Amino acid sequence: MSDYAKGLEGVTAAETQMSYIDGTAGILEYVGIPIGELGSHSTFEETVFLLWNNRLPTRAELDGFTKDLRARYRLPDGFIDRIRACPQDAQPMHVLRTLVSALALYDKNPNANDVPSAREKGLNILGCTPAIVAAFDRHRRGLDPVAPDSSLSFAENFLYMLNGTKPTPTMARAFDICMILHADHGLNNSTFTARVVISTLSDVYSALTAAIGSLRGPLHGGANEEVMVMLNEIPSVDAAEKYVMDKLERKELIMGFGHRVYKAKDPRASHLQVLAKQLATDTGNQALFEKSNKIEQIMHRERAAKGIYPNVDFYSATTYHCIGLKLDLFTPMFAMSRLAGWTGHIIEQLSDNRLFRPKAKYVGPHNAPYVPIDQRG
Ligand code: ACO
């Protein structure tokens, strides 16, 4: 079978109007707009509208969409008891996956998957997921949940519910930019997962739950946490050289580097690098940023020829740390943002659906004898 592509490398499996990626030139656009432009000028709310409507909103449309999203910040009645029932030492990504799935139980019509229903459910889930993450983090710290504040933006509201105090404009904007940069990225593994699940005409909850499970993996969204683990393991900037070279020698991965599509620097990494530098200076975390910078220099010298550059996860680790987020919340932050992209892809899939059903190349024996159980060696 000559059409086998391990890991589906190079296979085009869907059409999308949301993200355009040129991995050789290091270009990412949402609906044609370069990601750097959106990171500099847009907001997460406007970006979600863009992804779901394939155009920027008018002022009135943005106000309406923002109001609609804010009306969904609150969790369903009684849901907080489910959060309180989670073991305090549970991992946030497992909590998030479980509780996004549980939201279906509060939906009177969870299986509706016509496009308007899917959009509505996606908006609901996007709106209240920050409350799940924030309330669980407070629960494990022995603190009561903080009710959402619908006068705040998506980014402000999350940090408010997490910390119990309103974030500074600088922190809120930094977090908002992270949300914009992580919102969509072509047919990455978790997005493909969401599309595969919804293509069976299952439901939005199942598709998003599966996507969260995919994102958790360290080869995908879980890499941002692994980057932070690595930065913590390196005691100083000077120690970075030996640490990286030893790992490469052992043929181990340097997390936050490499990408199936990019063979140049991921443009989101470039944007996050600038943000991380500023935040590190503001928060006294210069050493962390300098360590990251040093690792990038070493990797450039050692692996740029192989097309291995920083990906989105590399500088997002320093950025999230400077915003004050705990290490195991990094991947949930990615999920909170990527819910926008996953939902957009679910809408695209449902708009022109065909069941995903690739083939497997059989490599086992044929015509094998059935050996009775007491004669097996
Ligand atoms: N550090 C060191 N070497 C690497 C790295 C890395 N981070 N990434 C790839 N390589 C090497 C591989 O060892 C391989 O070398 P070889 O040709 O000598 O065998 C070569 O580069 C090609 O790598 P593949 O694993 O074949 O590339 P693939 O496209 O399958 O994987 C992936 C891409 C999974 C992202 C990989 O680069 C990786 O594991 N990176 C680290 C984890 C990470 O940062 N993931 C986040 C990706 S972005 C995202 O999902 C949000």
Side-chain angles (χ1 to χ4, degrees):
M1 225 162 79
S2 59
D3 58 352
Y4 170 49
K6 192 172 182 185
L8 297 183
E9 181 163 10
V11 174
T12 303
E15 287 186 327
T16 182
Q17 296 189 56
M18 296 197 290
S19 291
Y20 168 77
I21 306 166
D22 181 334
T24 311
I27 292 171
L28 168 62
E29 297 169 344
Y30 291 169
V31 196
I33 304 176
I35 193 69
E37 287 288 293
L38 292 166
S40 300
H41 306 296
S42 189
T43 60
F44 181 60
E45 286 82 348
E46 185 180 58
T47 299
V48 178
F49 185 101
L50 171 71
L51 291 171
W52 292 5
N53 297 281
N54 302 318
R55 62 174 176 82
L56 288 169
T58 64
R59 164 68 57 201
E61 285 171 333
L62 180 59
D63 289 348
F65 181 75
T66 302
K67 198 168 161 213
D68 206 3
L69 181 64
R70 290 180 183 194
R72 295 156 201 265
Y73 283 172
R74 196 167 287 278
L75 289 164
D77 289 344
F79 199 86
I80 207 75
D81 293 336
R82 288 187 181 273
I83 299 177
R84 289 202 179 103
C86 292
Q88 284 177 303
D89 61 354
Q91 293 174 25
M93 278 302 278
H94 290 296
V95 171
L96 183 62
R97 189 197 59 242
T98 303
L99 295 183
V100 164
S101 178
L103 286 171
L105 310 179
Y106 298 76
D107 186 335
K108 293 275 178 275
N109 195 8
N111 301 346
N113 51 24
D114 56 285
V115 168
S117 297
R119 183 186 283 255
E120 174 83 5
K121 290 176 199 311
L123 192 65
N124 265 331
I125 297 167
L126 180 69
C128 73
T129 295
I132 296 176
V133 179
F136 173 70
D137 186 64
R138 292 182 71 84
H139 161 64
R140 67 182 177 167
R141 287 186 276 149
L143 299 172
D144 284 332
V146 171
D149 182 340
S150 60
S151 72
L152 302 177
S153 72
F154 185 89
E156 287 169 328
N157 180 54
F158 171 69
L159 295 174
Y160 168 64
M161 289 189 296
L162 187 71
N163 300 322
T165 51
K166 292 190 181 152
T168 63
T170 307
M171 285 301 168
R173 179 59 188 150
F175 190 65
D176 192 44
I177 292 171
C178 290
M179 294 292 102
I180 294 169
L181 299 181
H182 287 85
D184 189 48
H185 203 241
L187 208 56
N188 59 85
N189 192 292
S190 55
T191 300
F192 184 49
T193 301
R195 288 188 83 134
V196 167
V197 173
I198 205 68
S199 81
T200 69
L201 298 184
S202 181
D203 62 282
V204 172
Y205 297 95
S206 298
L208 294 178
T209 300
I212 293 170
S214 155
L215 187 77
R216 197 188 71 75
L219 296 187
H220 191 12
N224 58 12
E225 294 183 13
E226 300 296 329
V227 170
M228 198 64 217
V229 169
M230 171 175 74
L231 292 172
N232 286 336
E233 279 174 359
I234 302 175
S236 64
V237 177
D238 290 342
E241 174 82 27
K242 179 168 166 32
Y243 180 95
V244 173
M245 293 310 290
D246 283 355
K247 260 189 174 295
L248 291 178
E249 183 81 12
R250 293 193 300 266
K251 301 211 173 306
E252 289 175 16
L253 295 170
I254 305 298
M255 302 312 266
F257 285 82
H259 200 279
R260 176 62 62 80
V261 181
Y262 290 117
K263 300 303 165 202
K265 190 166 175 177
D266 181 333
R268 301 167 298 175
S270 303
H271 207 84
L272 282 165
Q273 183 173 16
V274 175
L275 189 62
K277 184 175 186 187
Q278 185 58 53
L279 287 178
T281 307
D282 293 351
T283 57
N285 281 301
Q286 289 98 328
L288 195 63
F289 178 77
E290 282 161 22
K291 264 190 262 179
S292 309
N293 231 3
K294 182 72 185 172
I295 294 169
E296 184 181 348
Q297 285 167 18
I298 300 163
M299 283 299 280
H300 193 273
R301 186 189 71 212
E302 298 295 326
R303 289 292 184 270
K306 281 190 156 195
I308 296 171
Y309 289 87
N311 59 49
V312 68
D313 288 320
F314 189 60
Y315 285 104
S316 70
T318 305
T319 306
Y320 286 145
H321 178 82
C322 294
I323 291 174
L325 296 165
K326 280 192 224 69
L327 195 157
D328 63 3
L329 292 183
F330 290 9
T331 314
M333 299 303 96
F334 195 156
M336 259 165 43
S337 161
R338 187 56 63 86
L339 278 167
W342 293 331
T343 300
H345 278 269
I346 287 171
I347 293 167
E348 285 189 333
Q349 186 66 34
L350 288 171
S351 304
D352 185 22
N353 189 47
R354 186 149 197 243
L355 178 77
F356 281 102
R357 206 314 187 178
K359 296 179 289 186
K361 176 182 174 184
Y362 179 69
V363 292
H366 290 284
N367 248 335
Y370 178 81
V371 180
I373 195 161
D374 53 3
Q375 291 174 25
R376 292 175 206 161

